[in-house]
Amino acid sequence: MRIKPGLIAAVIVSFMLCGCASVKMDIKTYSDPDHNLTVYKKFRIEPADKENPLLTKELAAMLKRKLSQRGFVRDEAAPDFIVILDFHSTPVRYYIPPSTQYLPQYVPGETKTYTGAAGGTNVQVTEQTAGKYELRPQVVGGHTDTVYHNSIKIFFAKPSRTGGPAKDNIFWRGEGDIEHYNSDIRATAPYLLDEILDEFPYRSGKPNKRPLKEK
């Protein structure tokens, strides 16, 4: 099959877009039906303890901005609810079997020589054909690849009046998971946080599996 050179970039880009389109977030939320979720306005964030305290602070600050954009107010002294943030990023290795792909390949032109007689004189004519691109099958061997399972969990809990842990009074939970080639959870955290918080106080009705639309 012959294709025009101008289509090469479009073909390559299409392969790239197919890979990106397969990246999806998995968003789930749960709530206590006995709670009126619309009355909660003032919050305090309590990040879960992590080995990387600076990363924890960065994600907590990101979560604070997302909540503020939605009209919630940070109040360390007298919050209506406590926001508990938990997260992790875990490498996942998997095997990709061999596959046949049709990829553009440049085929150089050919030089052809013709000889003959014209008017009693021997004539030799040389013709150079133009090169072209063709889609040819190429077997891509099996290999092991690594992605990172990024997960963020957000818990909303009523402040404890007895001094007990806030996690004992959780009334809403949202969680988002994604497998991504970037090992830095900060690359996907803004999208996960947005999708999770969009489900509070009412579920959006969107499916749990949602495409990652990077800006």
Side-chain angles (χ1 to χ4, degrees), residues 95-141:
Y95 177 71
I96 302 177
S99 63
T100 300
Q101 299 179 358
Y102 286 83
L103 301 176
Q105 181 175 337
Y106 181 74
V107 179
E110 298 179 348
T111 300
K112 297 181 180 180
T113 302
Y114 305 93
T115 59
T121 304
N122 292 329
V123 177
Q124 181 174 342
V125 178
T126 301
E127 179 185 46
Q128 177 69 43
T129 62
K132 61 184 178 180
Y133 284 94
E134 293 182 349
L135 290 179
R136 293 189 173 183
Q138 296 186 21
V139 177
V140 180

Side-chain angles (χ1 to χ4, degrees), residues 12-193:
I12 295 175
V13 169
S14 67
F15 286 130
M16 295 173 61
L17 291 178
C18 288
C20 294
S22 63
V23 179
K24 290 183 178 295
M25 296 176 282
D26 187 8
I27 307 296
K28 292 186 287 289
T29 61
Y30 311 89
S31 61
D32 186 341
D34 296 329
H35 276 70
N36 179 6
L37 303 182
T38 63
V39 301
Y40 296 98
K41 300 299 181 184
K42 298 181 295 182
F43 70 92
R44 182 176 76 235
I45 296 180
E46 291 186 0
D49 291 336
K50 288 290 177 181
E51 295 180 359
N52 189 337
L54 293 179
L55 174 59
T56 302
K57 287 183 177 181
E58 285 193 48
L59 293 179
M62 190 183 300
L63 176 55
K64 173 192 170 184
R65 290 194 298 270
K66 300 291 186 182
L67 287 167
S68 299
Q69 290 169 359
R70 287 165 170 77
F72 297 99
V73 179
R74 183 181 181 185
D75 190 331
E76 296 290 331
D80 296 329
F81 65 105
I82 307 299
V83 181
I84 304 170
L85 170 65
D86 192 15
F87 64 92
H88 70 261
S89 180
T90 306
V92 178
R93 295 177 65 84
Y94 61 95
Y95 177 71
I96 302 177
S99 63
T100 300
Q101 299 179 358
Y102 286 83
L103 301 176
Q105 181 175 337
Y106 181 74
V107 179
E110 298 179 348
T111 300
K112 297 181 180 180
T113 302
Y114 305 93
T115 59
T121 304
N122 292 329
V123 177
Q124 181 174 342
V125 178
T126 301
E127 179 185 46
Q128 177 69 43
T129 62
K132 61 184 178 180
Y133 284 94
E134 293 182 349
L135 290 179
R136 293 189 173 183
Q138 296 186 21
V139 177
V140 180
H143 64 280
T144 300
D145 208 345
T146 302
V147 297
Y148 295 86
H149 177 221
N150 295 337
S151 176
I152 290 181
K153 294 180 176 65
I154 303 173
F155 305 90
F156 290 176
K158 293 182 64 176
S160 174
R161 297 180 180 179
T162 62
K167 65 180 182 180
D168 293 339
N169 301 312
I170 292 174
F171 60 85
W172 186 86
R173 167 177 173 160
E175 57 188 54
D177 298 89
I178 189 172
E179 287 190 350
H180 199 270
Y181 285 99
N182 196 326
S183 61
D184 191 343
I185 194 173
R186 291 173 296 181
T188 54
Y191 308 98
L192 291 173
L193 290 175

